[in-house]
């Protein structure tokens, strides 16, 4: 699938969109029904704006594939899933430092919710 920036979105869907962490979401939200996949850039692991973008897109009704791309670390996988991401795309250098076993250990993302462990959120589905 070809990914375009919000400024380059083709006239008709389905298509994919690349979003920077500082993207104005209004043009994207207006065309959600035409978009099959969205890839959200994480320029650094300390930049959490992508999680907010994912949550905003899901709350607006986006049902397509949502991918976190860039500097996402295994420790952030649970947060990525809770905010609405379906998948994570990382580079070979990061993959070498964070082997598959580290990601698989966090695959049960609901088990890694600190509020649930404290007994504060028994039902994550309503969150």
């Amino acid at each position: 699938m070809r990914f375009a920036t919000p400024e380059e979105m083709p006239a008709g869907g389905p298509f994919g969109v690349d979003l920077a962490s500082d993207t104005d979401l209004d043009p994207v939200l207006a065309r959600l029904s035409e978009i099959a996949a969205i890839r959200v850039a994480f320029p650094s692991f300390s930049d959490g704006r992508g999680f907010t973008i994912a949550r905003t897109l899901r709350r607006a009704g986006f049902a397509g594939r949502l991918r976190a791309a860039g500097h996402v670390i295994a420790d952030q996988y649970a947060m990525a899933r809770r905010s609405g991401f379906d998948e994570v795309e990382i580079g070979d250098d990061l993959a070498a430092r964070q082997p598959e076993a580290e990601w698989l250990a966090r695959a049960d993302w609901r088990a890694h919710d600190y509020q649930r462990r404290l007994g504060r959120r028994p039902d994550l589905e309503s969150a």
Side-chain angles (χ1 to χ4, degrees), residues 98-114:
Q98 302 232 319
E100 183 178 6
E102 290 185 32
W103 292 88
L104 291 174
R106 289 154 182 87
D108 183 7
W109 56 276
R110 291 186 177 148
H112 295 284
D113 178 29
Y114 76 93

Side-chain angles (χ1 to χ4, degrees), residues 33-108:
S33 64
E34 300 174 61
I35 301 171
I38 298 175
R39 183 169 48 196
V40 180
F42 279 76
S44 73
F45 76 90
S46 62
D47 186 342
R49 293 176 289 178
F51 300 122
T52 303
I53 290 171
R55 193 68 170 160
T56 300
L57 291 168
R58 291 299 189 201
R59 286 187 172 165
F62 181 66
R65 300 298 295 175
L66 193 52
R67 179 184 302 168
H71 296 278
V72 181
I73 58 175
D75 287 343
Q76 295 172 315
Y77 186 61
M79 175 60 80
R81 292 302 310 269
R82 276 195 303 275
S83 61
F85 285 105
D86 298 300
E87 53 202 38
V88 174
E89 174 186 317
I90 60 173
D92 291 339
D93 59 331
L94 184 55
R97 291 192 312 267
Q98 302 232 319
E100 183 178 6
E102 290 185 32
W103 292 88
L104 291 174
R106 289 154 182 87
D108 183 7

